[in-house]
Amino acid sequence: MTYLELDAVFPYVVFAYGALVSFALASEPLMRIARARLPGALVGQLTGHRTLALLCLWVGALWILQNLWLA
């Protein structure tokens, strides 16, 4: 994989991480299942990543738009 291919794929990975974690944290049924099945420390770690997920969501979206605009 060349750096050009990696540069084309990586923004989607960043955006997907932000979207998935933000969706999971915003979905009350998913959080209820997580609290029931996962250890409390892991749920706390996931909740602590809320800011990182939102940042990745915005940065990934802007990065994708920039790549589409300049392509």
Side-chain angles (χ1 to χ4, degrees):
M1 178 175 273
T2 66
Y3 73 91
L4 291 173
E5 292 170 335
L6 184 62
D7 189 47
V9 172
F10 191 67
Y12 293 98
V13 173
V14 172
F15 179 77
Y17 169 79
L20 288 174
V21 173
S22 295
F23 174 74
L25 290 171
S27 174
E28 189 55 40
L30 286 178
M31 286 306 293
R32 206 174 316 120
I33 292 170
R35 286 187 198 101
R37 295 186 182 181
L38 297 175
L42 192 57
V43 174
Q45 184 178 4
L46 180 65
T47 306
H49 284 210
R50 182 182 305 269
T51 305
L52 177 64
L54 289 174
L55 180 67
C56 285
L57 184 67
W58 283 102
V59 168
L62 292 175
W63 197 353
I64 291 169
L65 289 174
Q66 175 194 2
N67 286 344
L68 290 174
W69 181 268
L70 297 177

